[in-house]
Amino acid sequence: MIQRYTFVFAGFLLFILTQPLLAQTFRLSGEIQGTSQKPLEGAVVSLLNAKDSSFVKAAVTEANGQFELLNIKSVAYLLMVSNLGYQKYISKPFLVAQTDATLPAVVLVEENKSLAEVKVTGKKPFVETKIDRTVVNVDALIGNAGTNALEVLEKSPGIAVDQNGGIRLKGKSGVVVFVDDKPTYLSADDLANYLKSLPAGSVETIEIMPNPPAKYDAAGNAGVINIRLKKNVLKGFNGGVNLSYGQGVYRRTNNSLNFNYRINKLNFFSNASVNHNSTYQDLTIWRRYYQPTGEYTSAFTQNSYIQRNQGGNNLKVGVDFYASKKTTLGVVLNGFYNPSLVNVTNKAKVLNAANEITSLVEAVSPTDRVWKNGSANFNFTYKFDSTGKELSTNADYIHYQSTSNQTLTNTLFDPQNKFVSQSILFSSLPTTIDISTAKVDYTSPLKSGGKIETGLKTSFIKTGNVADFFDVLDGKRFPNYEFTNNFNYKENINASYVNYTREFKRLSVQAGLRFENTTIKGHQLGNEQTKDSTFTRKYNSFFPTFYARYRLDSADVHQVGFSFGRRIDRPNYQDMNPFSYPLDRFTYYGGNPFLQPTFSYNFELSHTFKNKITTTLQYSLAKNVISETNEQRGTIYYSRPGNFGQRISYGISVNGSLQPTKWWTLNLYTEYINNGFKATLYGQKLDDSRFYWAVIPTNQFQLSSTWSAELAGSYQSTFLLGQLLIYPIGSVRAGLSKKVWKNQGTIRLNVSDIFYTNQIKGDIRNIANASANWFSYLDSRVATLSLTYRFNKGKTLNVRQTGGSESEKSRVRS
């Protein structure tokens, strides 16, 4: 069935590639001059729609001052030119006739000279919609100042983050997170910690792609979120500084610096951050046990106070060497050093059928962990000509290393709180992950007006996970072979893709096909109680994608769109480790070597009204969904990843930007979606579906030329996620912003979760002979004061996107 579908899709793609020209597009060129009519290099040339001044395309002038804009349609435009040290230029409206055109030379006037021109002011919108993605401009919200990248994601349309850092997109889990087009290779917990260490001030945009193009790896059945960090694009020395201090119950800081320095043929850039985040979670869990006949037998309640102290130190440095106008070489180095100390205090009660206390348990579990990373990217780009024909290559090496030491002390008391016994379990959990990837991409415009992209990629992953557990008696350590294990994992993925885009008169089309070959090997080393075990798996898959957007009017303000994509979600590397380890006396976490990859089919149909309101219908079918499963076995509660047989998700979302008055802008996102799951888990059948509603309103107020304010919030009704039923949750936040130092600096004050309502609770269902629920208080109400300062001296340069690794980072777990 899938093979037949793939051949039909490939035939359709070939049909598109061979179609005759349906609508002409043209080339627009010109020259920008400065003082004494000398050519200006690095001037930014923007093409705007004459009807509503909306952005169409941009280019940067070469050393001879010339620029060109390709694939231009025959409509009316405005030309805007800007360059540091010169006054901004705005042309009168002009019409592009049905032929290539060269505009008269534009001469810019220096800042100290007068120019009778129209003053154009504006700011980036919070959300921009493109054919294959939604782009969120982070600096557009005051509430993002002084926060971290994970908190920025929570405020983005269609994205939800749970208390453990798990990320959902339009109600679906299984999202792959990229940073600068490179995957983070991290599990949900480690990804959350990394994003908390990444200040929002270092983030430029967030790209949300429920159906990513074929150029991206097929991993992530819910789609891809790409976080683009700030990289200055000016000649000379320039950059920005972000400083912030936040106070909830505990303090937190987020500080970052980015700069760029261009001299001759070399361009140096860097992004660094240092931060500290102290927070807490007050978690209460209730469990009740029953006979197979339904009779209540006993209960268990536990309160866990978790205090986290996390440090984040991130550094990115790179250099581009412009060997010629056609050839660019680059090196990018990344790394982070993130220490953390987590102290957990558990107090539990065990009750009998009469709800009388039979025993009391107190557990103290401090964990000292250091998570560090180093990576190197080498890239090369060659531009064959000025039409856009380009070849690029990327090679990446990434190394992760984690050291974690934990002591779990369990003390048992009788109902009168008298000491009975005590046990101490010490663990050392070192982890290493090595990832090597290489890819080559080729882009070529076609004479018919379309563009074709194709490429190859290979990746090799090797992980080592050691878990050494020791029982501590009288100060001496004795090996505990029940939990001690050593698991090694190897994976190789080879991929190729082809992607085609074309602009017709009113129709835009993009179609792609990706092929991936996967080979994995797992080796569980034995110990005195457990034998060695191994497993090997191989599978091949095709992943088609298709997008279409039709403009209903000549001004491009009303549009309809359609997208389709097939995706895969592979298990995290460590999730296939078959051993279990204790989180406390009553709760164990384990891996699952029998996990199968998730395959999903995702459809979206959208309508955009006046470029302001986009309504989207969605449908997704996923098989073998990987999610947390829960089992009660005796007195031990087991949590491990498992496969749900099927998940069907469908619903509607609306994303709009309205301006009720000149000084008030309302950005509103809402969704109404049904999630349904079918599975048999540990002998229990799960067949349930439920609608939920979520809304995120963001009000922005421009009080004066230097003062602005923001009032925003979020609400989500009861939500079904596998065995979990999460109750309604919501919050309100507010912010105030003031521009200083001739608009080069900004001071912001914001308060999150003003009414302290962003506290999560829920039920765990479909557990044999048991039921469970929980309630969690978080350190969510935080007042943050931040300062941003920007400096620059120089001219604008082209930004190059680098990075060859596409999806592997999202699957690291330790």
Side-chain angles (χ1 to χ4, degrees):
M1 178 71 177
I2 293 177
Q3 289 181 337
R4 182 172 61 184
Y5 174 81
T6 301
F7 289 136
V8 171
F9 180 85
F12 175 67
L13 180 60
L14 182 62
F15 173 77
I16 292 177
L17 291 171
T18 57
Q19 284 301 292
L21 184 64
L22 295 182
Q24 284 285 82
T25 58
F26 309 99
R27 183 174 68 92
L28 186 66
S29 60
E31 181 180 344
I32 308 301
Q33 299 174 354
T35 307
S36 302
Q37 295 185 334
K38 290 183 179 179
L40 272 182
E41 178 186 6
V44 178
V45 181
S46 300
L47 192 66
L48 310 178
N49 191 303
K51 186 168 184 177
D52 58 4
S53 297
S54 61
F55 175 82
V56 179
K57 285 194 176 184
V60 178
T61 57
E62 303 288 348
N64 58 5
Q66 296 181 357
F67 69 91
E68 61 179 9
L69 298 161
L70 304 176
N71 298 326
I72 304 301
K73 294 182 293 184
S74 179
V75 296
Y77 296 104
L78 297 172
L79 195 73
M80 182 173 69
V81 184
S82 60
N83 196 69
L84 194 65
Y86 293 86
Q87 296 186 23
K88 186 180 293 183
Y89 169 83
I90 302 287
S91 74
K92 294 182 179 180
F94 62 92
L95 179 66
V96 173
Q98 295 189 358
T99 181
D100 293 345
T102 300
L103 297 175
V106 175
V107 180
L108 299 185
V109 177
E110 293 184 7
E111 287 284 4
N112 57 2
K113 297 182 180 181
S114 61
L115 175 66
E117 63 168 333
V118 178
K119 183 179 180 182
V120 178
T121 59
K123 63 178 182 179
K124 289 183 177 179
F126 174 44
V127 175
E128 298 177 82
T129 303
K130 299 185 178 181
I131 189 172
D132 58 0
R133 69 195 66 189
T134 298
V135 180
V136 177
N137 293 299
V138 174
D139 285 343
L141 289 189
I142 298 172
N144 286 335
T147 62
N148 56 58
L150 187 65
E151 293 171 303
V152 171
L153 287 181
E154 288 184 278
K155 302 167 190 172
S156 301
I159 298 176
V161 181
D162 64 29
Q163 79 277 12
N164 296 318
I167 299 171
R168 300 192 305 271
L169 177 56
K170 293 189 175 181
K172 297 180 290 183
S173 57
V175 183
V176 174
V177 176
F178 288 59
V179 176
D180 284 338
D181 277 328
K182 296 168 61 176
T184 49
Y185 297 99
L186 301 173
S187 67
D189 291 342
D190 291 326
L191 175 61
N193 291 334
Y194 169 66
L195 294 178
K196 288 176 183 177
S197 75
L198 194 64
S202 65
V203 179
E204 183 74 29
T205 60
I206 293 174
E207 298 175 341
I208 304 170
M209 294 173 274
N211 283 325
K215 184 176 181 178
Y216 285 86
D217 289 359
N221 71 81
V224 166
I225 298 173
N226 186 32
I227 300 173
R228 292 199 182 276
L229 302 181
K230 290 179 178 176
K231 178 181 176 183
N232 283 294
V233 292
L234 300 174
K235 268 191 174 180
F237 182 72
N238 47 82
V241 179
N242 295 272
L243 305 173
S244 76
Y245 177 85
Q247 185 68 55
V249 174
Y250 299 104
R251 69 179 182 90
R252 58 201 70 187
T253 63
N254 283 287
N255 310 293
S256 64
L257 166 69
N258 63 85
F259 73 86
N260 188 91
Y261 180 60
R262 167 75 184 267
I263 180 172
N264 300 325
K265 293 186 175 183
L266 291 174
N267 180 50
F268 299 92
F269 55 91
S270 179
N271 194 311
S273 65
V274 177
N275 59 75
H276 179 84
N277 188 3
S278 295
T279 185
Y280 79 91
Q281 180 181 3
D282 191 349
L283 173 66
T284 301
I285 299 172
W286 297 269
R287 298 173 190 161
R288 288 162 291 278
Y289 310 119
Y290 306 90
Q291 294 283 0
T293 56
E295 297 174 356
Y296 170 68
T297 60
S298 60
F300 163 87
T301 65
Q302 176 179 279
N303 177 260
S304 300
Y305 188 84
I306 307 166
Q307 184 178 352
R308 296 181 175 92
N309 294 281
Q310 298 172 326
N313 306 277
N314 300 271
L315 178 63
K316 174 182 178 180
V317 294
V319 60
D320 291 329
F321 174 59
Y322 300 92
S324 68
K325 290 180 62 176
K326 294 184 176 181
T327 305
T328 305
L329 299 159
V331 177
V332 183
L333 304 177
N334 281 279
F336 64 71
Y337 179 86
N338 296 342
S340 66
L341 178 62
V342 180
N343 289 301
V344 182
T345 301
N346 292 320
K347 294 185 178 181
K349 298 178 182 179
V350 180
L351 310 173
N352 60 21
N355 285 326
E356 299 170 334
I357 297 176
T358 60
S359 62
L360 301 170
V361 181
E362 183 173 310
V364 179
S365 177
T367 302
D368 189 357
R369 188 187 187 207
V370 174
W371 182 237
K372 52 188 176 181
N373 154 269
S375 67
N377 165 259
F378 302 91
N379 57 82
F380 165 81
T381 302
Y382 181 77
K383 297 181 179 179
F384 292 90
D385 49 40
S386 61
T387 65
K389 186 182 295 184
E390 181 178 292
L391 177 72
S392 64
T393 62
N394 280 272
D396 289 89
Y397 173 73
I398 302 122
H399 175 75
Y400 288 94
Q401 184 173 339
S402 169
T403 57
S404 178
N405 295 314
Q406 181 188 65
T407 301
L408 175 59
T409 303
N410 280 289
T411 306
L412 180 65
F413 301 89
D414 66 13
Q416 287 72 42
N417 206 27
K418 292 183 179 180
F419 175 84
V420 176
S421 63
Q422 185 179 78
S423 64
I424 301 175
L425 183 68
F426 175 82
S427 62
S428 176
L429 308 170
T431 298
T432 59
I433 302 171
D434 292 281
I435 301 170
S436 301
T437 69
K439 64 177 293 191
V440 58
D441 298 286
Y442 175 73
T443 302
S444 177
L446 303 176
K447 292 182 179 180
S448 62
K451 181 177 71 173
I452 191 166
E453 298 173 282
T454 186
L456 301 169
K457 179 189 173 182
T458 185
S459 65
F460 296 89
I461 298 94
K462 180 181 179 181
T463 75
N465 308 274
V466 177
D468 289 324
F469 283 82
F470 301 89
D471 295 310
V472 181
L473 299 173
D474 298 325
K476 296 181 180 180
R477 297 179 181 177
F478 299 90
N480 182 309
Y481 294 114
E482 179 185 0
F483 301 121
T484 293
N485 72 89
N486 190 337
F487 179 68
N488 295 321
Y489 178 90
K490 293 181 179 180
E491 178 183 275
N492 170 228
I493 300 177
N494 301 297
S496 62
Y497 77 91
V498 60
N499 196 69
Y500 174 76
T501 59
R502 186 167 176 179
E503 294 277 347
F504 301 110
K505 186 175 182 180
R506 290 192 178 183
L507 177 67
S508 299
V509 176
Q510 179 173 313
L513 184 64
R514 186 178 185 90
F515 171 77
E516 292 188 354
N517 160 260
T518 305
T519 301
I520 61 176
K521 294 181 179 180
H523 182 197
Q524 173 67 57
L525 280 69
N527 57 39
E528 292 186 6
Q529 295 182 5
T530 306
K531 295 181 180 180
D532 278 19
S533 62
T534 62
F535 61 86
T536 300
R537 291 182 191 146
K538 297 181 180 180
Y539 47 90
N540 302 314
S541 299
F542 286 94
F543 301 95
T545 55
F546 178 75
Y547 314 83
R549 183 171 61 180
Y550 183 77
R551 291 168 282 277
L552 299 173
D553 59 295
S554 58
D556 295 351
V557 296
H558 301 287
Q559 305 169 6
V560 292
F562 172 79
S563 70
F564 162 75
R566 184 175 187 255
R567 310 288 299 165
I568 185 174
D569 189 17
R570 298 180 179 89
N572 290 326
Y573 306 127
Q574 288 85 346
D575 277 353
M576 302 183 76
N577 186 340
F579 267 58
S580 300
Y581 62 89
L583 298 177
D584 55 52
R585 177 186 175 94
F586 303 97
T587 308
Y588 288 5
Y589 178 85
N592 183 354
F594 304 106
L595 285 174
Q596 298 294 322
T598 303
F599 289 93
S600 64
Y601 300 85
N602 306 288
F603 302 82
E604 287 194 349
L605 179 64
S606 65
H607 174 265
T608 300
F609 177 74
K610 290 187 175 181
N611 278 336
K612 294 181 181 297
I613 301 175
T614 299
T615 304
T616 303
L617 299 174
Q618 71 167 63
Y619 177 86
S620 174
L621 170 63
K623 298 287 189 179
N624 291 323
V625 176
I626 300 172
S627 186
E628 176 188 354
T629 66
N630 301 276
E631 178 192 17
Q632 188 73 38
R633 193 186 304 168
T635 60
I636 304 299
Y637 183 86
Y638 288 88
S639 175
R640 63 175 68 89
N643 286 116
F644 287 76
Q646 176 180 285
R647 183 198 64 204
I648 294 178
S649 176
Y650 60 89
I652 185 172
S653 63
V654 179
N655 187 30
S657 179
L658 305 173
Q659 195 161 10
T661 67
K662 185 177 180 181
W663 49 269
W664 175 20
T665 300
L666 170 62
N667 298 290
L668 179 66
Y669 176 84
T670 185
E671 61 187 25
Y672 186 65
I673 294 174
N674 181 283
N675 280 332
F677 294 86
K678 289 184 178 181
T680 300
L681 302 172
Y682 313 112
Q684 300 295 302
K685 286 189 176 182
L686 172 64
D687 187 355
D688 196 5
S689 65
R690 185 182 292 257
F691 275 99
Y692 75 92
W693 175 58
V695 61
I696 306 175
T698 303
N699 297 276
Q700 297 174 292
F701 308 101
Q702 192 65 46
L703 306 179
S704 70
S705 60
T706 59
W707 284 93
S708 59
E710 185 177 292
L711 179 64
S714 64
Y715 172 80
Q716 177 183 286
S717 65
T718 302
F719 181 85
L720 178 65
L721 183 64
Q723 284 181 279
L724 306 180
L725 188 66
I726 302 170
Y727 291 136
I729 188 171
S731 68
V732 176
R733 67 180 188 274
L736 189 65
S737 174
K738 174 72 167 70
K739 293 181 179 179
V740 296
W741 299 322
K742 297 181 179 179
N743 292 338
Q744 286 187 285
T746 305
I747 298 175
R748 296 181 176 96
L749 173 66
N750 66 78
V751 181
S752 63
D753 195 16
I754 296 173
F755 301 107
Y756 201 58
T757 54
N758 194 31
Q759 314 304 324
I760 191 168
K761 62 181 178 179
D763 296 336
I764 305 174
R765 308 184 307 160
N766 295 91
I767 305 175
N769 304 321
S771 63
N773 56 354
W774 85 94
F775 187 87
S776 178
Y777 285 101
L778 304 171
D779 194 5
S780 57
R781 182 165 53 200
V782 181
T784 304
L785 181 65
S786 69
L787 170 65
T788 301
Y789 178 73
R790 298 167 296 278
F791 56 89
N792 61 75
K793 292 182 180 179
K795 300 187 230 177
T796 304
L797 297 174
N798 283 309
V799 179
R800 298 176 62 243
Q801 299 300 333
T802 59
S805 45
E806 302 270 337
S807 70
E808 294 79 9
K809 283 184 181 176
S810 62
R811 297 165 52 220
V812 174
R813 184 181 182 89
S814 61

